[in-house]
Amino acid sequence: MRHLIFLSLLIIFALSCNSSKQSYTLNGTWIPTKQEMGGAELPHSTFKIEVLVLTDSNYVFTAESVDKGIVKYTDNKMDVYGKDGVNSGKHFAAIYKVENNVLTVCYNLAGDKYPDAYETKSNPMYFLSVYKKK
């Protein structure tokens, strides 16, 4: 019986730490290598100065200005909440994946639902960004 209780507590603990583990995987400085919107790839010159820094559930995005906010992770979905900067008060729903130090994020700038795939062709409010970890 004690083994069963211990095992149950261990499983509950592991499940509650899942989003924390994911945020640690994403922690770091990310540089965009590709971006697209509405099915069209954006020229490198439009994002060459951008930097995304993720620290647990916080983000700082630097481009022409600085945006700061909170990111909440669930499975391979993220909810981005702008707190400071041009996106203050906005919510973006996104899906993401990490492979070989490459982070791919497809954002729904309308924030009303998560994208189904990593493509923007069918929806002008979807924004895809591929980042390389610095």
Side-chain angles (χ1 to χ4, degrees), residues 1 4-5 12-13 57 91 99 115:
M1 180 68 168
L4 183 59
I5 292 172
I12 290 169
F13 177 75
S57 62
H91 166 250
E99 297 169 338

Side-chain angles (χ1 to χ4, degrees), residues 39-113:
E41 190 168 332
L42 302 176
H44 184 264
S45 61
T46 62
F47 57 85
K48 68 180 181 182
I49 63 168
E50 294 179 357
V51 176
L52 173 64
V53 177
L54 296 172
T55 309
D56 300 330
S57 62
N58 297 299
Y59 78 87
V60 176
F61 182 76
T62 305
E64 295 83 23
S65 62
V66 177
D67 273 355
K68 296 179 182 179
I70 296 170
V71 181
K72 295 183 180 181
Y73 307 98
T74 306
D75 299 320
N76 283 15
K77 296 177 181 165
M78 64 171 66
D79 287 282
V80 181
Y81 298 94
K83 297 296 181 189
D84 295 313
V86 297
N87 290 314
S88 180
K90 294 182 181 174
H91 166 250
F92 305 118
I95 56 172
Y96 71 95
K97 62 182 175 182
V98 180
E99 297 169 338
N100 302 319
N101 284 329
V102 174
L103 170 63
T104 304
V105 184
C106 188
Y107 303 91
N108 175 356
L109 301 181
D112 57 350
K113 67 176 185 169

